[in-house]
Amino acid sequence: MRGPWFVETLARNGDVLQRHCVEALPIRLGRGYDNDVILDDDHVAASHAHIGLDAAGRLLLRDLGSRNGIVVRGRRLPEVVLSGDTVVRIGHTSLRVRAAGFPVAPELEDRTLHRWEGALPGAAGILLVGAFALFVRWIGDTQTFEFVRYVEALAFAIGAALLWSGAWALANRLFGRHARLGRHLFVAGCGLVALTATALLAAAIAYAFSFEAFTRYASHAATVLVAGTIYFHLCTVKPQNRRRYRWLAAGLALLGSGLILLFNLQRSGRLADELYMAVLLPPGIRVSRDHGIDEFMREVDGMQEALDRGRGRKPGEDELDD
């Protein structure tokens, strides 16, 4: 093994915070100024540890009698043989040591749309959020038009989107080195538009074809879309972990749907979100045939006969005859 040697201090997520280059062994670690690598950590001793070669020529980290010692995978050890991937904790500082010839992973393909950064996706996201807010206010407005109500809806939606996207941008800054607020605003805007479009499409299909399940279980589609939006936020923060995020998003969707079913069952004794379809749209989009009053009354009579048989009555027998 040949130097120079690089002592890397790591964040909790494994990202490298700093690299200290040392030309030759031994390497002294500690808080004191006479060390080769100074660790600015109150839980590190003045002379905490020593890195050198053992009899077999392996890189060895040895504790120098400190109070907090050396911790590897939750176990305190007096000394540990270091490979390039061994992470040790000294005080509150995680570090690893690698030689100059340590092999690195191949470069990742750059799939980032560098032109789609900053103000451009942010402005697009704000426009999408604003369009969503105005459309929802318009479609649900049953009163006389008042401009101030639309301004309030617009301000509330944009403020909520900024708070939501700002939280993701903070996480992006902490774990991905760049805030990318514009990207997160765009993801939030697309998620809101997808939720609105899915709800309208489900209502139209349910009304046109009498497929009541499209509205009775519409909350599950919304749950999937919310989980998908979170997935794209996570991919913006750390695009390398897409497979893990897919499993996480699927788990969130299943958990959300399960909680909705349990809540509906507890609230109404049914799994559906609503007892009947409450969607009313223009008759022109109706495709399924109409059902007349006579057909409805025959169905009611059939229900009455089934209830009478269940109660041990003869069909048509009046309760007053008892």
Side-chain angles (χ1 to χ4, degrees):
M1 300 178 66
R2 296 181 180 180
W5 311 90
F6 293 89
V7 180
E8 300 176 338
T9 55
L10 308 176
R12 290 188 176 182
N13 64 344
D15 288 345
V16 178
L17 298 176
Q18 289 181 319
R19 286 188 176 93
H20 306 271
C21 181
V22 182
E23 293 294 335
L25 298 175
I27 302 173
R28 294 171 298 167
L29 306 172
R31 194 157 40 92
Y33 289 99
D34 58 343
N35 292 284
D36 299 298
V37 177
I38 300 174
L39 301 177
D40 188 15
D41 184 343
D42 292 338
H43 299 85
V44 173
S47 296
H48 197 109
H50 172 279
I51 300 174
L53 296 178
D54 63 4
R58 300 174 300 178
L59 201 62
L60 183 71
L61 174 66
R62 181 166 53 88
D63 181 28
L64 297 178
S66 63
R67 177 177 297 180
N68 295 315
I70 299 169
V71 179
V72 180
R73 295 181 180 177
R75 295 177 56 192
R76 178 169 177 169
L77 302 172
E79 59 184 27
V80 59
V81 175
L82 299 177
S83 68
D85 294 322
T86 304
V87 178
V88 300
R89 180 168 57 82
I90 296 177
H92 285 184
T93 303
S94 297
L95 55 85
R96 67 187 175 204
V97 182
R98 289 179 170 177
F102 185 84
V104 297
E107 64 178 317
L108 297 176
E109 182 181 355
D110 189 0
R111 298 181 178 178
T112 303
L113 300 175
H114 292 283
R115 296 182 179 179
W116 187 247
E117 291 285 357
L120 185 59
I126 291 294
L127 288 175
L128 289 173
V129 171
F132 161 81
L134 294 176
F135 178 77
V136 171
R137 169 58 69 184
W138 171 75
I139 202 171
D141 197 358
T142 58
Q143 304 176 14
T144 304
F145 174 80
E146 292 184 10
F147 180 73
V148 66
R149 291 206 305 272
Y150 288 81
V151 174
E152 290 175 352
L154 184 64
F156 177 80
I158 292 177
L162 286 173
L163 286 175
W164 171 265
S165 302
W168 283 106
L170 177 61
N172 213 137
R173 183 67 180 85
L174 293 175
F175 301 105
R177 300 182 182 180
H178 303 284
R180 309 186 79 180
L181 176 61
R183 279 289 187 92
H184 289 292
L185 279 170
F186 181 71
V187 170
C190 289
L192 289 175
V193 170
L195 283 170
T196 305
T198 302
L200 290 175
L201 182 62
I205 293 176
Y207 181 79
F209 298 97
S210 296
F211 293 159
E212 298 183 9
F214 276 81
T215 56
R216 287 184 177 180
Y217 299 97
S219 59
H220 300 283
T223 302
V224 172
L225 290 174
V226 171
T229 302
I230 293 174
Y231 166 76
F232 284 108
H233 278 302
L234 291 172
C235 289
T236 304
V237 177
K238 278 286 189 180
Q240 299 89 346
N241 301 326
R242 293 178 182 273
R243 184 175 182 180
R244 185 185 306 173
Y245 296 153
R246 291 191 191 101
W247 286 106
L248 177 61
L252 288 175
L254 290 175
L255 177 63
S257 293
L259 292 176
I260 290 172
L261 291 174
L262 288 176
F263 175 76
N264 291 340
L265 192 63
Q266 183 181 18
R267 177 177 58 110
S268 62
R270 297 172 180 265
L271 296 177
D273 299 333
E274 55 189 17
L275 300 180
Y276 56 90
M277 187 176 67
V279 175
L280 290 177
L281 295 175
I285 69 171
R286 185 83 173 168
V287 176
S288 61
R289 69 180 184 86
D290 294 331
H291 298 272
I293 296 178
D294 294 338
E295 183 179 354
F296 173 76
M297 295 306 300
R298 286 196 297 271
E299 292 180 358
V300 171
D301 292 339
M303 294 172 60
Q304 182 64 48
E305 293 177 2
L307 290 174
D308 289 340
R309 285 194 298 270
R311 295 163 59 186
R313 298 179 182 277
K314 297 180 180 179
E317 184 178 357
D318 194 352
E319 293 184 359
L320 296 178
D321 295 338
D322 294 343

